[in-house]
């Protein structure tokens, strides 16, 4: 009941906020955002894989690792967990258009109101942090 109420309230608020007209983002800004997002997600996936590969040998022979594997298997086979995953997946797919519209509205607002003032500084900061991220969290393993 609480989840339903929260979802209805969130949808009502999102409809009210997004009912007004927001500036359209430039195609160049959307492409730049999409590229940066894809690279960042690749970095996260690669870092997760490296962390998992590093932790797996340590957990192989330990009693804690064996117990964690048992708990994970029990959770994975549980019908409740399967139902929760299906519900969350369904909600995520239903909310995709709303999230995309919100993202485009925020990019449009950023491009129209903030980019003229902070765009160069943000671009410089992103360019300067890329070498650090390439060292710490490379996008390809």
């Amino acid at each position: 009941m609480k989840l339903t109420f929260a979802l209805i309230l969130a949808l009502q608020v999102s409809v009210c906020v997004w009912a007004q007209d927001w500036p359209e983002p430039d195609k160049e800004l959307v492409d730049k955002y999409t590229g940066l997002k894809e690279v960042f997600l690749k970095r996260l996936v690669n870092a997760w894989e490296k962390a998992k590969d590093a932790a797996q040998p340590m957990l192989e022979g330990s009693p804690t690792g064996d117990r964690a594997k048992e708990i994970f298997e029990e959770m994975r086979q549980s019908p409740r967990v399967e139902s929760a995953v299906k519900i969350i997946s369904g909600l995520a797919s239903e909310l995709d258009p709303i999230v995309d519209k919100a993202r485009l509205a925020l990019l449009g607002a950023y491009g129209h109101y903030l980019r003229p003032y902070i765009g160069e500084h943000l671009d410089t900061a992103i360019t300067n942090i890329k070498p650090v991220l390439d060292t710490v969290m490379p996008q390809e393993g």
Side-chain angles (χ1 to χ4, degrees):
M1 183 67 180
K2 290 179 185 179
L3 180 62
T4 305
F5 178 71
L7 183 60
I8 291 170
L9 183 63
L11 289 174
Q12 185 177 8
V13 168
S14 68
V15 168
C16 293
V17 170
W18 304 120
Q20 62 182 337
D21 291 331
W22 290 91
E24 287 290 321
D26 297 335
K27 181 172 176 14
E28 176 263 333
L29 179 62
V30 173
D31 292 342
K32 190 173 198 173
Y33 169 80
T34 304
L36 289 172
K37 182 176 88 168
E38 288 174 2
V39 168
F40 186 71
L41 289 176
K42 285 179 186 177
R43 289 179 193 278
L44 285 178
V45 167
N46 189 32
W48 171 254
E49 291 295 326
K50 283 185 177 182
K52 188 174 73 169
D53 291 344
Q56 196 168 14
M58 291 186 294
L59 294 176
E60 285 290 321
S62 72
T64 307
D66 293 338
R67 181 65 186 141
K69 281 184 183 178
E70 290 174 14
I71 292 171
F72 182 72
E73 286 299 320
E74 289 173 13
M75 285 179 50
R76 196 169 67 170
Q77 295 173 355
S78 169
R80 288 183 177 176
V81 172
E82 285 181 25
S83 298
V85 167
K86 287 179 183 176
I87 290 171
I88 291 170
S89 299
L91 281 175
S93 66
E94 291 291 324
L95 292 176
D96 268 348
I98 295 170
V99 170
D100 286 340
K101 187 175 179 181
R103 184 178 298 128
L104 287 177
L106 287 173
L107 282 174
Y110 164 75
H112 185 74
Y113 298 111
L114 295 176
R115 196 171 191 197
Y117 304 106
I118 65 169
E120 283 186 39
H121 302 293
L122 185 60
D123 192 45
T124 303
I126 291 170
T127 303
N128 289 339
I129 203 164
K130 278 183 182 179
V132 175
L133 286 175
D134 286 338
T135 304
V136 177
M137 254 176 38
Q139 58 179 315
E140 306 232 353

